[in-house]
Amino acid sequence: MDAIERIAGYMHEHALTLVTAESCTAGLIAATLADVPGAGSLLDCAFVVYSPEAKMRCLGVSSATLARHNLTSEAVAREMALGASRKSPALVAISNTGVTDDIDDDIPAGTQCFAWVFKTGHADAAPAVYSETRRFSGSRNAMRLASARYALQRLADYHAEHWGNPKPR
């Protein structure tokens, strides 16, 4: 059993459903999970939002956050995940935004920003939000795939950390 199959098993065990908000990975987080048999009961939907306008229009990312923090930032990733979470009944939202090419002198190629949002089950309770930045190496597509796999693997880590569940092995 590979790591993604273990994540899917963990999600089944804890009745977790997923919505994704993807920029750099362009749907690979959802597609990677969909490769696992039975993933249909784990995925609600996936937003692929490459442009700043799409991030604002589809997910409610604020123009002020984009201007202040740049597209490749944890602040934008958090707003993307929160926006996806608001639009979906899924209990978990994952977002990704990043760069795979050297197009910005300030942000090295392979920089990926992620956010994970977990609904607590109470309509009036604030969700738990985690974010981090990581850098991957390799070809453009290798970085994107590594980012997608990493996002799913961290889902179980953050869920287990927050709710005190055992991590998948």
Side-chain angles (χ1 to χ4, degrees), residues 84-155:
S85 182
R86 283 190 296 273
K87 293 181 177 284
S88 169
L91 297 175
V92 181
I94 297 175
S95 68
N96 163 268
T97 186
V99 294
T100 56
D101 305 309
D102 279 320
I103 56 172
D104 187 328
D105 291 338
D106 295 330
I107 303 171
T111 302
Q112 302 291 305
C113 300
F114 302 93
W116 297 263
V117 169
F118 297 91
K119 292 179 181 174
T120 60
H122 303 289
D124 58 345
V129 182
Y130 299 89
S131 63
E132 63 179 84
T133 299
R134 183 165 168 129
R135 190 163 171 215
F136 297 90
S137 60
S139 71
R140 173 181 173 75
N141 286 336
M143 285 185 252
R144 292 174 58 242
L145 183 56
S147 296
R149 293 180 66 83
Y150 183 79
L152 289 167
Q153 290 168 350
R154 294 296 284 157
L155 177 157

Side-chain angles (χ1 to χ4, degrees), residues 41-114:
S41 64
L42 301 175
L43 284 167
D44 179 50
C45 63
F47 294 90
V48 176
V49 288
Y50 247 60
S51 72
E53 294 78 17
K55 288 173 178 65
M56 291 185 287
R57 182 179 64 252
C58 297
L59 299 174
V61 174
S62 83
S63 59
T65 300
L66 288 165
R68 186 176 313 118
H69 296 283
N70 196 334
L71 284 171
T72 301
S73 66
E74 288 183 35
V76 168
R78 282 191 299 273
E79 286 192 17
M80 288 171 62
L82 286 165
S85 182
R86 283 190 296 273
K87 293 181 177 284
S88 169
L91 297 175
V92 181
I94 297 175
S95 68
N96 163 268
T97 186
V99 294
T100 56
D101 305 309
D102 279 320
I103 56 172
D104 187 328
D105 291 338
D106 295 330
I107 303 171
T111 302
Q112 302 291 305
C113 300
F114 302 93

Side-chain angles (χ1 to χ4, degrees), residues 1-2 16 25-26 33 36 56 64 66 70 75 103 108 118 125 161:
M1 180 181 298
D2 83 354
L16 299 176
T25 51
L33 185 60
V36 176
M56 291 185 287
L66 288 165
N70 196 334
I103 56 172
F118 297 91
E161 176 183 310

